[in-house]
Amino acid sequence: MCGIVGYIGKKDALPILLDGLRQLEYRGYDSAGISVLKDDKIKIVKRSGKIKDLVSFIKSHKDLDNSKLGIGHSRWATHGAPTNINAHPHLDCSGNFSVVHNGIIENFSDIKKELIKEGHKFKSETDTEVLPHLVEKYYKRDLKEAVLKAVRRLKGSFALGIISKYEPDKLIGVRRESPLIIGLGKDENFIASDIPAVLRYTKKIIYVDDGEMAVLTKDKVRVFDLNGKGRKKKVDTIKWTVASAQKAGFPHFMLKEIHEQPKVLKQIISSRIKGHSKITLEGINLKDSQIKNISNIIILACGTAYHAGLVGKYLIEKFTHIPVLVDLASEFRYREPIVNKNTLVIAISQSGETADTLAAVREARERGAVILSICNVVGSSLVRISDGVLYTYAGPEIGVASTKAYTAQLGILYLLAFYIAERKSLLKGQLKESLIREFKKVPEILNKILGHKNYISRIASKHLHFGSFLYLGRNVNFPTALEGALKLKEISYIPAEGYAAGEMKHGPIALIDEYRAVVCIAPESHIYEKMVSNIQEICARKGKVIIVSTEGHEGIERFTKEVIYIPKLDELFSPIVIALPLQLLAYYIAVKRGCNVDQPRNLAKSVTVE
């Protein structure tokens, strides 16, 4: 959700803070602000709206230049509307302590009442504002100790950046259940919510764990637990570049990331399939004996990752004969899931910082499950609490609507299903080799579809004014329908729903009329004729149909001229292929409607609060 950046060093802090906030815009926000220490005073500028609005306002505040210490924040509103006053950073009564915060302080109301009785004055509606007042209350010439006392009072989640006029040589960061990293430079150091904020300045990163505090000076970083005991930390080197987190000539990050999918999938295949068909899954950390003893599998995820998990269920059950439950991570903790020591939990998250997924995984661990994560971000919170990890290595995904991460997650799930089946002696010989051969064709098929994007754009032009969409799919492409609908409503704000096509007669068919567009997923498959029957039913009710089908099925054009053809391949792999034209359809509809596809309203890239 919110973005945090902090700097201490020899350079001018202001441009570094503003650049860091720009690099974190993809996280989603509705206001922004910065706080710097200058001439023995903490100076704050903050505005509702976009970072460009903050930059314009700052131009009239020349006295912010040449500070060597500061913190910045982009806020996604929770407590209090997105106003100038509620924007971060926040100050104490004296103006001597400044705080930025990502997360939610659950007991802020009780703390606030206590502080008001003691004479503290509050200006905002936020939960965050109690923090600088608590630090002010506990400060006795030791900022570290004051912050430790303050955070021990808090219930909830937080990543904090804190500065004080009394200790101008210190920048403090604290983490509990919200992401925070440290960037290490020469004569300068950084804190941030995510790597892109500091990648322009350093590739040396320390991942702050839950329950840790970092005290930074310009030439030193020390990390402590919340009891003040020192901790040794590993320094990681980031391998991707600033360029990989930029648009590279594309009008939007989303379109760039759609185009990166063939390369991402090819890398997954080439790095994990050796020779003709030998599958190697580095990091899985599952012994063959454990695999053979798996009684059930639970896949935990949210949003797009949940749809990937649904496809995974079809694959894993088909090849391994192990029962699979796919659960929304946000619901998992609030029932009584059947979990034991032979349960394998597969947690899927692009960022590895999704609050609901992390909480669900912790619950599963407490119940004895083995945790395997599928994640894109090395060293993320999810990875650190898992027994094994399969990295997608898709590179930074900046667009809020997930595209290449979805394809990468599917790619890993296909290989995982094959790998487990092989270890259980259920997949071998010619069948395994033929599946791998077909899988290796998919990246080139994706490239061919990208070559027809202008055709998909023309279809989008004809359908962007429809008031709502239905997406229909069957079998392994039912989740594809859900994902297609999610993409459209995320970025175009058009109401869209995905359904299993066989459920149409059980209610949804009542929605069909000439004002509704229906996207029918009908590739060559063993249930193709059933999908054709569904299409006939829709056309009989004057629904406006867009069909995704396989080359060679041109007869389907008797129902509509709007057919998107995909090359022939085994129906098993159709979800990973059909996702791409549905992404393009959503993208072009949204762009033609004038929507901000990279930063849709009300959405954040990483949902780090419950």
Side-chain angles (χ1 to χ4, degrees):
M1 295 293 224
C2 310
I4 288 174
V5 62
Y7 175 80
I8 186 167
K10 290 184 175 181
K11 298 174 185 172
D12 185 357
L14 180 61
I16 294 172
L17 296 174
L18 292 174
D19 178 62
L21 291 179
R22 290 189 192 97
Q23 302 306 321
L24 295 175
E25 281 192 288
Y26 68 91
R27 295 177 68 84
Y29 70 105
D30 41 48
S31 59
I34 59 99
S35 175
V36 296
L37 184 63
K38 176 83 180 292
D39 300 329
D40 200 34
K41 291 182 180 178
I42 291 179
K43 301 182 179 182
I44 285 182
V45 180
K46 52 186 184 177
R47 308 299 291 173
S48 62
K50 295 298 182 182
I51 289 168
K52 61 184 175 70
D53 302 316
L54 175 67
V55 172
S56 296
F57 189 71
I58 283 175
K59 289 179 181 178
S60 62
H61 291 70
K62 299 296 183 182
D63 59 337
L64 298 175
D65 294 338
N66 298 316
S67 168
K68 310 305 178 188
L69 172 66
I71 48 179
H73 188 268
S74 54
R75 177 178 186 248
W76 193 88
T78 52
H79 295 74
T83 64
N84 293 344
I85 291 175
N86 288 332
H88 296 210
H90 289 287
L91 292 168
D92 65 310
C93 296
S94 63
N96 295 325
F97 303 91
S98 182
V99 174
V100 291
H101 165 224
N102 176 15
I104 291 178
I105 307 304
E106 295 172 357
N107 61 336
F108 86 98
S109 183
D110 292 338
I111 294 173
K112 186 173 182 177
K113 289 175 184 176
E114 170 194 313
L115 291 167
I116 289 173
K117 285 181 181 179
E118 295 174 1
H120 292 260
K121 305 292 184 183
F122 287 80
K123 297 179 180 179
S124 77
E125 304 168 83
T126 68
D127 54 336
T128 301
E129 198 179 358
V130 301
L131 288 163
H133 289 276
L134 277 177
V135 176
E136 177 191 24
K137 172 180 177 177
Y138 292 125
Y139 186 72
K140 305 292 185 212
R141 298 186 178 181
D142 190 331
L143 184 59
K144 171 194 162 189
E145 289 302 318
V147 172
L148 283 171
K149 287 182 180 179
V151 298
R152 288 178 195 140
R153 295 284 311 275
L154 305 180
K155 295 179 181 178
S157 62
F158 48 80
L160 308 175
I162 304 164
I163 61 173
S164 170
K165 92 168 209 179
Y166 296 127
E167 301 190 27
D169 62 336
K170 288 190 180 68
L171 167 63
I172 290 185
V174 190
R175 177 189 175 170
R176 182 196 291 163
E177 297 181 6
S178 288
L180 191 69
I181 59 105
I182 299 166
L184 305 177
K186 184 178 180 181
D187 297 323
E188 59 184 2
N189 289 303
F190 311 79
I191 59 170
S193 295
D194 203 353
I195 292 165
V198 302
L199 192 57
R200 190 184 304 276
Y201 311 99
T202 181
K203 290 189 175 184
K204 300 293 184 182
I205 300 296
I206 293 174
Y207 295 98
V208 182
D209 286 312
D210 277 350
E212 288 186 340
M213 165 195 278
V215 179
L216 288 71
T217 64
K218 66 179 178 61
D219 49 19
K220 190 174 183 180
V221 170
R222 294 175 296 159
V223 179
F224 306 88
D225 64 21
L226 296 188
N227 292 315
K229 184 179 179 181
R231 286 189 171 178
K232 292 183 178 180
K233 301 292 291 184
K234 177 186 174 186
V235 178
D236 285 291
T237 301
I238 302 304
K239 295 181 180 179
W240 41 278
T241 65
V242 173
S244 65
Q246 296 177 338
K247 293 179 184 175
F250 287 91
H252 300 96
F253 281 111
M254 183 177 179
L255 187 59
K256 177 201 173 197
E257 288 155 7
I258 287 172
H259 276 260
E260 289 174 339
Q261 290 175 115
K263 178 182 176 181
V264 168
L265 187 60
K266 187 174 183 179
Q267 178 179 297
I268 286 172
I269 292 171
S270 63
S271 64
R272 292 173 171 86
I273 300 176
K274 306 302 180 184
H276 292 296
S277 61
K278 180 177 174 57
I279 301 171
T280 60
L281 294 183
E282 181 183 357
I284 191 170
N285 286 345
L286 284 175
K287 298 177 181 178
D288 286 356
S289 59
Q290 287 179 288
I291 289 174
K292 290 173 182 177
N293 288 329
I294 294 173
S295 61
N296 64 317
I297 292 174
I298 300 174
I299 299 177
L300 297 175
C302 301
T304 286
Y306 172 73
H307 298 153
L310 289 173
V311 176
K313 171 185 171 69
Y314 284 89
L315 301 173
I316 294 170
E317 288 188 337
K318 176 180 177 65
F319 291 104
T320 73
H321 303 167
I322 300 172
V324 179
L325 170 70
V326 187
D327 213 342
L328 289 164
S330 57
E331 289 295 318
F332 180 78
R333 288 183 296 156
Y334 302 113
R335 58 184 188 80
E336 291 295 325
I338 307 302
V339 177
N340 58 54
K341 66 179 182 179
N342 292 324
T343 299
L344 174 65
V345 166
I346 302 171
I348 309 175
S349 171
Q350 187 281 140
S351 67
E353 303 294 348
T354 308
D356 289 317
T357 304
L358 290 171
V361 165
R362 292 187 184 102
E363 176 78 12
R365 283 190 69 90
E366 290 178 5
R367 293 171 177 265
V370 175
I371 311 298
L372 174 64
S373 62
I374 297 175
C375 188
N376 191 39
V377 180
V378 176
S380 61
S381 297
L382 177 61
V383 169
R384 295 198 296 273
I385 61 173
S386 300
D387 299 298
V389 57
L390 298 176
Y391 284 114
T392 55
Y393 292 125
E397 187 177 67
I398 306 300
V400 166
S402 183
T403 53
K404 66 176 180 176
Y406 179 68
T407 296
Q409 289 160 359
L410 288 180
I412 294 295
L413 285 165
Y414 278 94
L415 291 177
L416 180 60
F418 298 159
Y419 181 87
I420 293 175
E422 184 180 37
R423 292 303 184 273
K424 288 171 63 71
S425 300
L426 296 172
L427 181 64
K428 51 189 174 181
Q430 291 185 346
L431 175 59
K432 178 188 171 186
E433 290 183 5
S434 66
L435 287 170
I436 296 299
R437 275 197 307 271
E438 197 75 0
F439 192 27
K440 288 180 177 180
K441 296 177 184 176
V442 176
E444 185 54 37
I445 289 174
L446 295 180
N447 274 320
K448 289 180 180 178
I449 293 171
L450 287 169
H452 298 287
K453 65 182 180 182
N454 290 338
Y455 172 71
I456 297 172
S457 176
R458 290 194 292 273
I459 292 177
S461 297
K462 297 177 182 178
H463 292 79
L464 59 92
H465 299 299
F466 281 87
S468 63
F469 277 65
L470 293 180
Y471 286 70
L472 303 180
R474 281 180 178 264
N475 192 35
V476 75
N477 277 305
F478 164 46
T480 310
L482 296 175
E483 175 60 12
L486 176 61
K487 280 294 150 285
L488 185 70
K489 57 191 167 189
E490 276 183 313
I491 61 174
S492 74
Y493 319 138
I494 297 174
E497 296 181 86
Y499 282 102
E503 288 296 294
M504 283 298 291
K505 293 178 181 178
H506 299 280
I509 200 167
L511 297 171
I512 302 297
D513 58 31
E514 65 267 35
Y515 306 108
R516 192 175 313 272
V518 186
V519 180
C520 298
I521 301 168
E524 184 176 289
S525 69
H526 71 289
I527 42 93
Y528 174 75
E529 296 300 333
K530 294 187 182 298
M531 274 303 306
V532 171
S533 296
N534 290 128
I535 293 168
Q536 290 174 319
E537 292 165 355
I538 295 161
C539 290
R541 289 158 180 82
K542 299 182 179 180
K544 304 302 180 184
V545 177
I546 301 171
I547 300 173
V548 181
S549 192
T550 307
E551 292 173 350
H553 284 271
E554 283 75 11
I556 206 165
E557 291 177 8
R558 68 186 184 275
F559 301 115
T560 179
K561 293 181 180 179
E562 318 299 349
V563 182
I564 301 170
Y565 289 107
I566 63 170
K568 288 187 177 183
L569 80 164
D570 190 305
E571 66 176 292
L572 181 75
F573 299 101
S574 59
I576 205 168
V577 170
I578 294 172
L580 194 153
L582 297 186
Q583 293 165 357
L584 286 170
L585 181 66
Y587 170 80
Y588 285 120
I589 288 175
V591 168
K592 293 172 189 293
R593 286 168 59 90
C595 301
N596 186 342
V597 296
D598 283 339
Q599 298 171 35
R601 68 189 183 200
N602 304 329
L603 296 180
K605 183 64 178 173
S606 300
V607 183
T608 57
V609 295
E610 186 176 5

